[in-house]
C-alpha cells in the first residue's frame, strides 16, 4: 500500500511543480490519468471490493439517505441528536464518533435516513484515519451535508472537497456530456460538437493510451477538460448533491452572517441552539428532489398521511406501481389521476404517464 501512496505523492508533487500552459497540457493529462488509476487501486484493492469496516456499513432504509461529513468536532453529532432525536455521543474533545451513527427523520411524509460519519482527517482519501470507510459510506448517500465550523476559515471546505473528489465523489456537478464507447478495431474516432480549448486528438489519444485503450468512439459535446474525460473512462464517479452547513453561527456577528448567506449551496445553522433548522430542512427537500404521490383506494378518500415518495428522475405511473409492489404492473389496466400532471380531474392515464408532486392516484387492475 505504501508504494501506491508514494507513487501518488510523487505524481501530486510533480503536478504542483508543473506550470499550467498549452505546452504542458499533454503532460498534465498523462499525470492526471496515472493519478486516477492509482486512486482506483487504493479504493478497490486487488482481490475484491474495499471493506467498509466494522460499524460503518449501515442498512439503507427510508426514501433517501443523507451523510454528515466534516472534520472532527464541528458539531455533526449535536446536529444529528437535535434533528433526529438520536443520541450520538457528543463531547467537547475531537474524535468522539468512531463508527457510523444512523438516525431517521420524517419530513413532508418522507422517511429520510441520516448518517453521522466519523470525522475526516486530511489525507483520508489516501487511507489515513478511517477516511476510506467514511467516504465509502458517503458514496452511497442521496445527499451529503458537509458540516463546517463557521469560526474556522473556508479553507476547511476546500480540504474536504479535495478529499471527497479524490475518492470519486463529484459534488453539485452533472456527469460530463461525453459519449465514450470502446470497440475492437478502427482506432480512436474523435468527434466534437463545439470548439475545444484543452482536448485535441493528440491529448485524447495520449490519455486513452494510458488506459491501454487504442480503439474507441468519443464525442465531446461541450468544451471538456482532461479531468472530465478521465472521469468518463474511469466510469465509477458518483455525482451527488451537497449542502454546506456552517455551524456555530451563535458565535459570529449579524454582518458576518449576511456575508455567509451569499455563499452558494450554504445554510448557516446552530446545531446546539437549533437555529435555522427550517431553512435547512427546506433546502434538504429541494436538493433531494423527491415528490409525494397520494394513493386513493376505490370509493374512499385519498390517504394524505403516508404518501408514496418517488425521486424526480423516476416519476412514471410504472415507477409508482413498482414502489407499491412489483406484482401491480402485471395486473395494471389504467390509473385515475387527480393533480397538476393532468388536464381533467380525474383523468384516465396509462403506465407511461409522468406524475407531479402531490398528485392523487387510483390504480385500476385487470379483472
Amino acid at each position: 500500500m505504501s508504494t501506491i501512496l508514494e507513487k501518488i505523492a510523487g505524481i501530486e508533487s510533480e503536478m504542483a511543480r508543473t506550470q499550467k500552459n498549452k505546452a504542458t497540457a499533454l503532460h498534465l493529462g498523462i499525470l492526471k490519468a496515472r493519478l486516477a488509476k492509482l486512486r482506483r487501486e487504493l479504493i478497490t484493492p486487488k482481490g475484491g471490493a474495499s471493506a467498509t469496516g466494522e460499524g460503518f456499513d449501515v442498512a439503507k432504509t427510508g426514501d433517501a439517505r443523507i451523510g454528515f461529513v466534516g472534520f472532527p468536532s464541528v458539531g455533526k453529532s449535536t446536529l444529528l441528536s437535535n434533528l433526529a432525536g438520536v443520541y450520538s455521543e457528543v463531547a467537547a474533545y475531537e474524535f468522539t464518533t468512531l463508527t457510523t451513527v444512523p438516525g431517521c427523520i420524517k419530513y413532508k411524509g418522507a422517511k429520510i435516513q441520516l448518517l453521522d460519519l466519523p470525522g475526516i482527517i486530511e489525507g483520508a482519501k489516501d487511507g489515513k484515519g478511517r477516511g476510506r470507510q467514511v467516504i465509502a459510506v458517503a458514496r452511497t448517500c442521496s445527499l451529503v451535508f458537509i458540516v463546517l465550523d463557521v469560526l474556522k476559515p473556508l479553507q476547511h471546505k476546500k480540504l474536504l472537497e479535495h478529499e471527497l473528489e479524490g475518492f470519486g465523489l463529484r459534488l453539485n456537478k452533472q456527469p460530463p456530456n461525453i459519449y465514450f464507447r470502446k470497440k475492437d478495431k478502427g482506432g480512436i474516432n474523435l468527434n466534437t460538437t463545439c470548439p475545444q480549448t484543452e482536448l485535441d486528438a493528440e491529448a485524447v489519444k495520449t490519455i486513452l493510451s494510458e488506459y491501454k485503450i487504442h480503439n474507441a468512439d468519443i464525442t465531446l459535446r461541450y468544451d471538456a477538460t482532461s479531468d472530465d474525460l478521465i472521469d468518463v473512462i474511469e466510469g465509477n464517479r458518483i455525482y451527488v448533491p451537497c449542502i454546506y452547513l456552517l455551524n456555530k453561527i451563535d458565535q459570529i456577528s449579524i454582518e458576518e452572517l449576511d456575508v455567509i448567506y451569499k455563499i452558494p449551496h450554504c445554510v448557516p445553522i446552530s446545531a446546539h441552539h437549533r437555529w435555522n433548522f427550517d431553512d435547512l430542512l427546506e433546502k434538504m427537500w429541494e436538493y433531494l428532489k423527491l415528490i409525494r404521490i397520494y394513493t386513493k383506494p376505490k370509493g374512499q378518500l385519498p390517504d394524505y398521511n403516508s404518501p408514496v415518495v418517488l425521486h424526480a428522475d423516476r416519476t412514471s405511473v410504472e415507477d409508482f406501481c413498482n414502489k407499491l409492489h412489483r406484482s401491480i404492473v402485471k395486473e395494471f389496466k389504467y390509473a385515475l389521476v387527480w393533480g397538476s400532471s393532468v388536464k381533467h380531474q380525474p383523468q384516465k392515464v396509462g403506465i407511461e404517464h409522468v406524475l407531479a408532486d402531490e398528485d392523487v392516484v387510483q390504480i385500476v387492475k385487470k379483472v
Side-chain angles (χ1 to χ4, degrees), residues 13-50:
S13 65
E14 191 178 340
M15 282 169 71
R17 288 196 307 271
T18 309
Q19 279 189 321
K20 279 186 183 178
N21 55 46
K22 277 223 158 171
T24 61
L26 206 62
H27 178 59
L28 280 168
I30 295 168
L31 291 177
K32 283 174 181 175
R34 283 180 191 160
L35 194 61
K37 278 160 62 186
L38 287 168
R39 287 254 166 81
R40 179 167 18 105
E41 278 185 56
L42 206 60
I43 297 169
T44 315
K46 286 183 177 70
S50 58

Short mmCIF file of all heavy atoms in Angstrom, two decimals, residues 13-50:
data_model
loop_
_atom_site.label_atom_id
_atom_site.label_comp_id
_atom_site.label_asym_id
_atom_site.label_seq_id
_atom_site.Cartn_x
_atom_site.Cartn_y
_atom_site.Cartn_z
N SER A 13 3.23 15.90 -6.37
CA SER A 13 4.27 16.93 -6.26
C SER A 13 4.75 17.37 -7.64
O SER A 13 5.04 18.54 -7.88
CB SER A 13 5.43 16.45 -5.39
OG SER A 13 6.09 15.37 -6.01
N GLU A 14 4.81 16.41 -8.59
CA GLU A 14 5.21 16.76 -9.97
C GLU A 14 4.18 17.69 -10.61
O GLU A 14 4.52 18.64 -11.29
CB GLU A 14 5.38 15.50 -10.81
CG GLU A 14 6.05 15.79 -12.15
CD GLU A 14 6.28 14.55 -13.00
OE1 GLU A 14 6.30 13.42 -12.47
OE2 GLU A 14 6.45 14.73 -14.23
N MET A 15 2.86 17.40 -10.34
CA MET A 15 1.80 18.26 -10.89
C MET A 15 1.86 19.66 -10.28
O MET A 15 1.62 20.65 -10.96
CB MET A 15 0.42 17.63 -10.62
CG MET A 15 0.09 16.49 -11.56
SD MET A 15 -1.37 15.56 -11.06
CE MET A 15 -2.66 16.73 -11.39
N ALA A 16 2.20 19.72 -8.99
CA ALA A 16 2.30 21.02 -8.32
C ALA A 16 3.46 21.85 -8.89
O ALA A 16 3.37 23.08 -8.99
CB ALA A 16 2.49 20.82 -6.82
N ARG A 17 4.53 21.16 -9.30
CA ARG A 17 5.71 21.85 -9.85
C ARG A 17 5.49 22.29 -11.29
O ARG A 17 6.14 23.22 -11.77
CB ARG A 17 6.94 20.94 -9.80
CG ARG A 17 7.52 20.70 -8.42
CD ARG A 17 8.94 20.13 -8.53
NE ARG A 17 9.01 18.94 -9.36
CZ ARG A 17 8.82 17.70 -8.91
NH1 ARG A 17 8.54 17.50 -7.64
NH2 ARG A 17 8.93 16.66 -9.72
N THR A 18 4.61 21.60 -12.01
CA THR A 18 4.43 21.86 -13.45
C THR A 18 3.55 23.08 -13.68
O THR A 18 2.46 23.17 -13.13
CB THR A 18 3.80 20.63 -14.14
OG1 THR A 18 4.54 19.47 -13.80
CG2 THR A 18 3.78 20.79 -15.65
N GLN A 19 4.05 24.01 -14.46
CA GLN A 19 3.25 25.21 -14.80
C GLN A 19 2.14 24.82 -15.77
O GLN A 19 2.34 24.00 -16.66
CB GLN A 19 4.14 26.26 -15.45
CG GLN A 19 4.94 27.07 -14.45
CD GLN A 19 5.63 28.24 -15.13
OE1 GLN A 19 6.12 28.11 -16.23
NE2 GLN A 19 5.65 29.38 -14.48
N LYS A 20 0.96 25.43 -15.59
CA LYS A 20 -0.15 25.12 -16.48
C LYS A 20 -0.10 26.03 -17.70
O LYS A 20 -0.27 27.24 -17.58
CB LYS A 20 -1.49 25.31 -15.75
CG LYS A 20 -1.87 24.14 -14.87
CD LYS A 20 -3.25 24.32 -14.30
CE LYS A 20 -3.60 23.17 -13.36
NZ LYS A 20 -4.90 23.32 -12.76
N ASN A 21 0.13 25.45 -18.86
CA ASN A 21 0.03 26.19 -20.13
C ASN A 21 -0.19 25.19 -21.26
O ASN A 21 -0.25 23.99 -21.01
CB ASN A 21 1.28 27.06 -20.37
CG ASN A 21 2.56 26.24 -20.31
OD1 ASN A 21 2.65 25.16 -20.88
ND2 ASN A 21 3.56 26.75 -19.59
N LYS A 22 -0.29 25.69 -22.48
CA LYS A 22 -0.61 24.79 -23.61
C LYS A 22 0.47 23.73 -23.80
O LYS A 22 0.17 22.58 -24.13
CB LYS A 22 -0.76 25.61 -24.90
CG LYS A 22 -2.14 26.22 -25.06
CD LYS A 22 -2.61 26.05 -26.50
CE LYS A 22 -4.12 26.14 -26.58
NZ LYS A 22 -4.62 26.18 -27.93
N ALA A 23 1.72 24.12 -23.57
CA ALA A 23 2.83 23.18 -23.80
C ALA A 23 2.81 22.02 -22.80
O ALA A 23 3.21 20.91 -23.13
CB ALA A 23 4.15 23.94 -23.70
N THR A 24 2.35 22.29 -21.57
CA THR A 24 2.38 21.24 -20.55
C THR A 24 1.05 20.50 -20.40
O THR A 24 0.95 19.57 -19.61
CB THR A 24 2.76 21.83 -19.17
OG1 THR A 24 1.76 22.80 -18.80
CG2 THR A 24 4.12 22.48 -19.18
N ALA A 25 0.02 20.93 -21.15
CA ALA A 25 -1.33 20.34 -21.00
C ALA A 25 -1.31 18.83 -21.22
O ALA A 25 -1.96 18.07 -20.49
CB ALA A 25 -2.31 21.00 -21.96
N LEU A 26 -0.54 18.38 -22.23
CA LEU A 26 -0.48 16.95 -22.56
C LEU A 26 0.15 16.16 -21.41
O LEU A 26 -0.37 15.13 -21.00
CB LEU A 26 0.34 16.77 -23.84
CG LEU A 26 0.04 15.53 -24.68
CD1 LEU A 26 -1.38 15.55 -25.17
CD2 LEU A 26 1.01 15.45 -25.85
N HIS A 27 1.27 16.70 -20.90
CA HIS A 27 1.98 16.03 -19.80
C HIS A 27 1.09 15.96 -18.55
O HIS A 27 1.02 14.92 -17.88
CB HIS A 27 3.27 16.81 -19.49
CG HIS A 27 4.06 16.24 -18.35
ND1 HIS A 27 4.53 14.93 -18.35
CD2 HIS A 27 4.43 16.78 -17.16
CE1 HIS A 27 5.16 14.71 -17.20
NE2 HIS A 27 5.11 15.80 -16.46
N LEU A 28 0.37 17.06 -18.25
CA LEU A 28 -0.53 17.08 -17.09
C LEU A 28 -1.68 16.08 -17.25
O LEU A 28 -2.10 15.44 -16.29
CB LEU A 28 -1.10 18.49 -16.86
CG LEU A 28 -0.16 19.48 -16.15
CD1 LEU A 28 -0.72 20.90 -16.25
CD2 LEU A 28 0.05 19.12 -14.70
N GLY A 29 -2.16 15.95 -18.49
CA GLY A 29 -3.23 14.98 -18.79
C GLY A 29 -2.79 13.56 -18.47
O GLY A 29 -3.54 12.79 -17.86
N ILE A 30 -1.53 13.22 -18.85
CA ILE A 30 -0.99 11.88 -18.57
C ILE A 30 -0.88 11.67 -17.06
O ILE A 30 -1.27 10.63 -16.53
CB ILE A 30 0.42 11.71 -19.23
CG1 ILE A 30 0.29 11.77 -20.76
CG2 ILE A 30 1.07 10.39 -18.81
CD1 ILE A 30 1.61 11.90 -21.48
N LEU A 31 -0.37 12.69 -16.35
CA LEU A 31 -0.21 12.58 -14.89
C LEU A 31 -1.56 12.40 -14.20
O LEU A 31 -1.70 11.60 -13.28
CB LEU A 31 0.48 13.84 -14.34
CG LEU A 31 1.96 14.02 -14.70
CD1 LEU A 31 2.47 15.35 -14.13
CD2 LEU A 31 2.82 12.88 -14.17
N LYS A 32 -2.59 13.14 -14.68
CA LYS A 32 -3.94 13.03 -14.09
C LYS A 32 -4.49 11.62 -14.29
O LYS A 32 -5.14 11.06 -13.41
CB LYS A 32 -4.88 14.06 -14.71
CG LYS A 32 -4.66 15.47 -14.17
CD LYS A 32 -5.52 16.47 -14.92
CE LYS A 32 -5.30 17.89 -14.41
NZ LYS A 32 -6.04 18.87 -15.22
N ALA A 33 -4.27 11.05 -15.49
CA ALA A 33 -4.75 9.70 -15.78
C ALA A 33 -4.07 8.67 -14.87
O ALA A 33 -4.70 7.79 -14.32
CB ALA A 33 -4.51 9.36 -17.25
N ARG A 34 -2.73 8.84 -14.70
CA ARG A 34 -1.99 7.92 -13.82
C ARG A 34 -2.49 8.03 -12.37
O ARG A 34 -2.63 7.03 -11.68
CB ARG A 34 -0.49 8.24 -13.87
CG ARG A 34 0.16 7.72 -15.14
CD ARG A 34 1.64 8.03 -15.20
NE ARG A 34 2.16 7.74 -16.53
CZ ARG A 34 3.29 8.23 -17.01
NH1 ARG A 34 4.02 9.05 -16.27
NH2 ARG A 34 3.69 7.92 -18.22
N LEU A 35 -2.75 9.26 -11.96
CA LEU A 35 -3.23 9.51 -10.59
C LEU A 35 -4.59 8.85 -10.38
O LEU A 35 -4.83 8.21 -9.35
CB LEU A 35 -3.33 11.03 -10.37
CG LEU A 35 -3.50 11.53 -8.94
CD1 LEU A 35 -2.32 11.11 -8.07
CD2 LEU A 35 -3.64 13.05 -8.91
N ALA A 36 -5.49 8.98 -11.37
CA ALA A 36 -6.83 8.39 -11.27
C ALA A 36 -6.74 6.87 -11.16
O ALA A 36 -7.47 6.25 -10.39
CB ALA A 36 -7.68 8.79 -12.48
N LYS A 37 -5.81 6.26 -11.93
CA LYS A 37 -5.65 4.80 -11.89
C LYS A 37 -5.13 4.34 -10.52
O LYS A 37 -5.60 3.34 -9.97
CB LYS A 37 -4.68 4.35 -12.98
CG LYS A 37 -5.34 4.22 -14.35
CD LYS A 37 -4.37 4.25 -15.50
CE LYS A 37 -3.37 3.12 -15.47
NZ LYS A 37 -2.36 3.26 -16.53
N LEU A 38 -4.17 5.08 -9.95
CA LEU A 38 -3.63 4.73 -8.64
C LEU A 38 -4.69 4.89 -7.55
O LEU A 38 -4.79 4.07 -6.64
CB LEU A 38 -2.42 5.63 -8.31
CG LEU A 38 -1.13 5.32 -9.09
CD1 LEU A 38 -0.12 6.44 -8.91
CD2 LEU A 38 -0.52 3.99 -8.65
N ARG A 39 -5.49 5.95 -7.67
CA ARG A 39 -6.56 6.17 -6.68
C ARG A 39 -7.58 5.03 -6.73
O ARG A 39 -8.11 4.62 -5.71
CB ARG A 39 -7.28 7.49 -6.97
CG ARG A 39 -6.46 8.71 -6.62
CD ARG A 39 -6.97 9.39 -5.35
NE ARG A 39 -6.01 10.35 -4.85
CZ ARG A 39 -5.88 11.58 -5.32
NH1 ARG A 39 -6.65 12.00 -6.29
NH2 ARG A 39 -5.00 12.40 -4.79
N ARG A 40 -7.85 4.55 -7.95
CA ARG A 40 -8.80 3.44 -8.09
C ARG A 40 -8.25 2.20 -7.38
O ARG A 40 -8.98 1.48 -6.72
CB ARG A 40 -9.04 3.14 -9.57
CG ARG A 40 -10.01 1.98 -9.77
CD ARG A 40 -10.54 1.80 -11.16
NE ARG A 40 -9.79 2.45 -12.19
CZ ARG A 40 -8.99 1.82 -13.04
NH1 ARG A 40 -8.80 0.52 -12.97
NH2 ARG A 40 -8.37 2.49 -13.99
N GLU A 41 -6.94 1.95 -7.54
CA GLU A 41 -6.31 0.81 -6.84
C GLU A 41 -6.43 0.95 -5.33
O GLU A 41 -6.61 -0.02 -4.61
CB GLU A 41 -4.82 0.72 -7.21
CG GLU A 41 -4.56 0.02 -8.53
CD GLU A 41 -3.07 -0.13 -8.79
OE1 GLU A 41 -2.38 -0.71 -7.94
OE2 GLU A 41 -2.61 0.35 -9.84
N LEU A 42 -6.35 2.20 -4.87
CA LEU A 42 -6.43 2.47 -3.44
C LEU A 42 -7.84 2.22 -2.91
O LEU A 42 -8.03 1.68 -1.84
CB LEU A 42 -6.04 3.94 -3.19
CG LEU A 42 -5.47 4.30 -1.82
CD1 LEU A 42 -4.20 3.52 -1.54
CD2 LEU A 42 -5.17 5.79 -1.77
N ILE A 43 -8.85 2.63 -3.72
CA ILE A 43 -10.26 2.45 -3.31
C ILE A 43 -10.62 0.96 -3.35
O ILE A 43 -11.23 0.45 -2.43
CB ILE A 43 -11.22 3.23 -4.25
CG1 ILE A 43 -10.96 4.72 -4.17
CG2 ILE A 43 -12.68 2.96 -3.88
CD1 ILE A 43 -11.67 5.53 -5.26
N THR A 44 -10.26 0.29 -4.44
CA THR A 44 -10.60 -1.14 -4.59
C THR A 44 -9.31 -1.94 -4.68
O THR A 44 -8.78 -2.10 -5.77
CB THR A 44 -11.44 -1.35 -5.86
OG1 THR A 44 -12.44 -0.35 -5.91
CG2 THR A 44 -12.08 -2.71 -5.89
N PRO A 45 -8.79 -2.42 -3.56
CA PRO A 45 -7.55 -3.21 -3.61
C PRO A 45 -7.76 -4.48 -4.43
O PRO A 45 -8.87 -4.97 -4.54
CB PRO A 45 -7.29 -3.56 -2.13
CG PRO A 45 -8.18 -2.67 -1.34
CD PRO A 45 -9.34 -2.32 -2.22
N LYS A 46 -6.67 -5.00 -5.00
CA LYS A 46 -6.76 -6.23 -5.80
C LYS A 46 -7.30 -7.37 -4.95
O LYS A 46 -6.98 -7.50 -3.79
CB LYS A 46 -5.38 -6.60 -6.34
CG LYS A 46 -4.93 -5.70 -7.48
CD LYS A 46 -3.61 -6.12 -8.03
CE LYS A 46 -3.19 -5.27 -9.21
NZ LYS A 46 -2.84 -3.92 -8.85
N GLY A 47 -8.20 -8.17 -5.58
CA GLY A 47 -8.75 -9.31 -4.85
C GLY A 47 -10.10 -9.03 -4.25
O GLY A 47 -10.56 -9.72 -3.37
N GLY A 48 -10.77 -7.99 -4.74
CA GLY A 48 -12.15 -7.77 -4.26
C GLY A 48 -12.42 -6.33 -3.92
O GLY A 48 -11.54 -5.49 -3.97
N ALA A 49 -13.66 -6.07 -3.58
CA ALA A 49 -14.08 -4.71 -3.26
C ALA A 49 -13.51 -4.30 -1.91
O ALA A 49 -13.16 -5.11 -1.08
CB ALA A 49 -15.60 -4.65 -3.21
N SER A 50 -13.45 -2.97 -1.71
CA SER A 50 -12.89 -2.46 -0.46
C SER A 50 -13.82 -2.77 0.70
O SER A 50 -15.03 -2.67 0.59
CB SER A 50 -12.70 -0.96 -0.58
OG SER A 50 -13.92 -0.35 -0.85
#
